[in-house]
């Protein structure tokens, strides 16, 4: 499986502003003092080797949208946040040769940040294209129709050129979608959300966003440990630091970086990807959260096999 992240923010898009770009430029130019940057190759090498991620790049501002290539001839997409606009444009520009115009979408839940990209997903306007929206909720059609309704959007849902279908998934069994086996699990979140386990060719990907893990997560029989068991990659809602998650932001429906590490360790997962970044966190804050998480992982590890920790950014690609 190949995974590409198109949107990694939670709650609301959070674009980098002019002051943010200027601050990066100032840092980079200060760092460049004394470096010989005579040609493009020297500049590229300076960018890659002398600058941290938050200095040379940005985690991005789009909300949740992740593309999974299972090798099948149909698309598989996790959530339709604002990142779906760029994905749709990439597909329309011919960026996915060999795929049919069938888009299988696994929706975690219908909160705005996970559906706001559909009205800007170009394939939705093309007759002959087919969008199949899967989820554990039974009222997804209502939620998606509503965001197209006047006065909130100029194009009514029924005017979309593509055929859009809704399929409610039974969490009690496994489903075969886009060449992969799909399991789902209800998560603690306002209005419920669903996490997905996507398995193909012996590799497993967990997509678990908008999920709060409360004190019962410490119990031996906590079901998420089994759900995450042996996963090659766990994409996890680590919107907050532990201190935030257990104080002022308790019951806000999200989790922390440290709970992510603990659950992944217990489950024997191989790689953790921090996801659903707080729109209030700038690039430096997300990089610091990642750094703290990596340190905590090393301190709390009780097996020889390390859990690799990365932070998602718009444009990140991972192979499983
Ligand atoms: Zn969200
Ligand atoms: Zn939510």
């Amino acid at each position: 499986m190949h995974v590409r992240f198109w949107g990694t923010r939670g709650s609301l898009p959070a674009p980098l502003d002019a002051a943010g770009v200027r601050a990066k430029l100032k840092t980079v130019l200060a760092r460049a003092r004394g470096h010989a940057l005579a040609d493009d190759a020297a500049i590229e090498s300076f960018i890659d080797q002398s600058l941290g991620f938050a200095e040379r790049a940005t985690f991005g501002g789009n909300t949740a949208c992740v593309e999974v290539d299972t090798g099948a001839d149909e698309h598989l997409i996790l959530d339709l946040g604002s990142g779906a606009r760029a994905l749709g444009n990439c597909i329309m520009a011919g960026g996915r040769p060999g795929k049919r115009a069938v888009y299988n979408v696994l929706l975690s839940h219908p909160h705005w940040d996970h559906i706001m990209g559909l009205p800007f997903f170009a394939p939705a306007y093309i007759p002959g294209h087919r969008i199949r929206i899967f989820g554990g909720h039974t009222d997804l059609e209502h939620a998606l129709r509503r965001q197209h309704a006047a006065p909130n959007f100029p194009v009514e849902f029924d005017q979309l050129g593509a055929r859009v279908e809704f399929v409610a998934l039974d969490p009690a069994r496994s489903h075969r979608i886009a060449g992969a086996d799909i399991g789902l699990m209800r998560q603690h979140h306002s209005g419920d959300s669903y996490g997905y386990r996507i398995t193909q060719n012996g590799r497993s990907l967990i997509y678990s966003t908008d999920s709060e893990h409360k004190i019962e997560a410490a119990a031996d029989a906590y079901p998420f440990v089994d759900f995450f068991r042996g996963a090659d990659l766990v994409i996890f809602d680590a919107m907050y630091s532990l201190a935030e998650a257990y104080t002022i932001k308790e019951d806000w429906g999200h989790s922390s970086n440290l709970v992510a590490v603990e659950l992944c360790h217990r489950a024997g997962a191989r790689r953790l990807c921090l996801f659903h970044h707080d729109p209030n966190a700038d690039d430096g804050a997300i990089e610091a959260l990642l750094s703290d998480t990596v340190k905590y992982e090393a301190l709390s590890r009780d097996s020889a096999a390390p859990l690799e920790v990365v932070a998602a950014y718009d444009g990140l690609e991972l192979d499983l």
Side-chain angles (χ1 to χ4, degrees), residues 109 111-114 189-190 193 210 253-254 276:
H109 66 313
H111 278 168
W112 198 20
D113 50 325
H114 299 257
H189 191 68
S190 171
S193 67
D210 297 63
H254 299 283
H276 204 272

Side-chain angles (χ1 to χ4, degrees), residues 134-209:
F134 299 89
H137 297 79
T138 53
D139 55 353
L140 292 178
E141 179 165 2
H142 172 69
L144 286 163
R145 282 181 170 273
R146 214 170 62 160
Q147 79 167 345
H148 277 265
N152 297 115
F153 198 69
V155 183
E156 290 286 342
F157 190 86
D158 287 330
Q159 292 176 280
L160 293 176
R163 195 165 105 213
V164 186
E165 303 156 23
F166 294 86
V167 184
L169 296 177
D170 178 0
R173 66 178 192 86
S174 175
H175 307 268
R176 186 85 182 156
I177 298 168
D181 293 314
I182 312 285
L184 67 163
M185 181 143 156
R186 190 158 61 89
Q187 305 179 131
H188 184 78
H189 191 68
S190 171
D192 293 340
S193 67
Y194 287 84
Y196 292 92
R197 185 178 177 109
I198 300 157
T199 305
Q200 193 237 8
N201 266 347
R203 301 283 167 152
S204 289
L205 160 67
I206 302 288
Y207 180 69
S208 178
T209 191

Side-chain angles (χ1 to χ4, degrees), residues 201-284:
N201 266 347
R203 301 283 167 152
S204 289
L205 160 67
I206 302 288
Y207 180 69
S208 178
T209 191
D210 297 63
S211 175
E212 184 166 359
H213 297 279
K214 301 176 84 70
I215 196 73
E216 59 268 24
D220 282 344
Y222 192 54
F224 281 90
V225 175
D226 264 343
F227 190 61
F228 290 6
R229 183 81 64 202
D232 296 282
L233 175 65
V234 177
I235 300 171
F236 190 94
D237 167 8
M239 191 168 184
Y240 304 137
S241 68
L242 187 71
E244 289 174 314
Y246 284 122
T247 55
I248 45 172
K249 292 173 182 174
E250 185 168 12
D251 293 323
W252 286 23
H254 299 283
S255 284
S256 79
N257 55 330
L258 304 193
V259 171
V261 169
E262 283 177 15
L263 289 175
C264 285
H265 272 167
R266 288 166 63 194
R270 288 177 188 81
R271 188 154 45 165
L272 164 65
C273 182
L274 309 178
F275 185 71
H276 204 272
H277 304 307
D278 189 338
N280 294 312
D282 63 13
D283 289 317

Side-chain angles (χ1 to χ4, degrees), residues 81-96:
S82 67
R85 182 188 58 86
L87 168 58
N89 291 349
C90 168
I91 292 167
M92 295 313 296
R96 293 295 177 267

